Amino acid sequence: MKLILLGAPGAGKGTVAKLLTKMDGSVQISTGDILRAAVAAGTELGKKAEAAMKAGDLVSDDLIMGIMRERLKEDDCKSGYLLDGFPRTIPQAEALTELLADMGEQLDAVVNIDVPRDVILDRLTTRRTCQDCGEIYNVKSNPPKEDGKCDKCGGAVVQRDDETEEAINNRLDVYNKMTAPLADFYEKEGSLLTVEATSSEKVIDAIKAKLGL
Ligand code: ADP
Ligand code: ZN
């Protein structure tokens, strides 16, 4: 399947994407993961993105479109893709529409995962991430078996730089201002599915129903 997953930081886009990849082999494409890997590797891209990311601000549209133009050409996209954290601005959405048209591709749906702000705040402050493989944990609901150590790869499980209270508040403000308008954008295109759900299973069920799976 080919989907855009929209939703605030902490809405569960990544979790839903991971569950969907297991259903039909489509790949999760997270611009956040791509950028974090670039920062960790100290590449040119990483250097350009680092400061904005740390503050919870958006990286420039040009940089993001450069990444996505290349990424969507890769072979693994043939089995479908779940765009997680992209597009995040109207210009990105417009550029994506054009890019997909050029590639002769069509999305199955744009899924807007709508979660109340208090739930989001609680999730983000308790979220922890593996530095090496990106696996997500939660200190309350899903801690690693051994404190601070990833169950999957043994890497260090830490709080992200942008998961301080200040950066979280900024990310949510940025989301409301820059990304929330995309729901209207896709509603007008007739491809929007809004799911109000705090459980990933419910989101998956709604997607299956929409796609007739
Ligand atoms: P979140 O948990 O906020 O959804 P992500 O992992 O998607 O976090 O993104 C982390 C950071 O990477 C963002 O705060 C932003 O700085 C940058 N970023 C990721 N995707 C984009 C994008 N499509 N446009 C601009 N900046 C992005
Ligand atoms: Zn790991």
Side-chain angles (χ1 to χ4, degrees), residues 9-10 13 30-33 35-36 52-53 56-59 64 84-88 92 127 160 162-163 171:
K13 301 183 295 289
S30 156
T31 39
D33 286 348
L35 291 167
R36 274 186 292 279
M53 289 178 72
D57 290 326
L58 293 182
V59 172
I64 296 290
D84 162 13
F86 169 83
R88 238 174 167 100
Q92 287 179 24
R127 180 154 89 175
R160 270 165 43 179
D162 62 355
E163 283 176 354
R171 276 160 64 206

Side-chain angles (χ1 to χ4, degrees), residues 1 3 17 20-21 24-30 71 74-84:
M1 62 187 94
L3 299 178
L20 292 172
T21 58
D24 72 348
S26 36
V27 286
Q28 174 188 11
I29 303 180
S30 156
R71 184 64 188 85
E74 282 176 39
D75 259 358
D76 60 353
C77 291
K78 293 204 172 76
S79 42
Y81 40 81
L82 310 156
L83 304 182
D84 162 13

Side-chain angles (χ1 to χ4, degrees), residues 30-80:
S30 156
T31 39
D33 286 348
I34 294 171
L35 291 167
R36 274 186 292 279
V39 170
T43 63
E44 266 322 291
L45 170 66
K47 284 182 196 136
K48 284 184 188 150
E50 194 167 11
M53 289 178 72
K54 190 160 183 183
D57 290 326
L58 293 182
V59 172
S60 80
D61 290 336
D62 282 352
L63 221 52
I64 296 290
M65 289 316 302
I67 295 173
M68 288 308 294
R69 253 180 221 112
E70 294 311 310
R71 184 64 188 85
L72 286 171
K73 276 187 214 152
E74 282 176 39
D75 259 358
D76 60 353
C77 291
K78 293 204 172 76
S79 42

Side-chain angles (χ1 to χ4, degrees), residues 121 124-125 162-173:
L121 273 175
L124 290 179
T125 48
D162 62 355
E163 283 176 354
T164 62
E165 204 178 317
E166 196 188 353
I168 288 171
N169 276 309
N170 189 41
R171 276 160 64 206
L172 292 176
D173 289 344

Side-chain angles (χ1 to χ4, degrees), residues 133-193:
C133 76
E135 185 74 4
I136 308 272
Y137 296 91
N138 185 290
V139 286
K140 284 196 212 157
S141 60
N142 175 33
K145 288 196 189 78
E146 203 179 314
D147 205 23
K149 196 173 157 192
C150 179
D151 296 348
K152 277 201 168 161
C153 79
V157 173
V158 298
Q159 188 158 24
R160 270 165 43 179
D161 274 355
D162 62 355
E163 283 176 354
T164 62
E165 204 178 317
E166 196 188 353
I168 288 171
N169 276 309
N170 189 41
R171 276 160 64 206
L172 292 176
D173 289 344
V174 168
Y175 180 81
N176 289 331
K177 192 163 157 228
M178 307 295 286
T179 311
L182 295 187
D184 266 352
F185 178 93
Y186 287 113
E187 176 90 76
K188 284 187 188 120
E189 290 198 350
S191 47
L192 191 72
L193 167 69

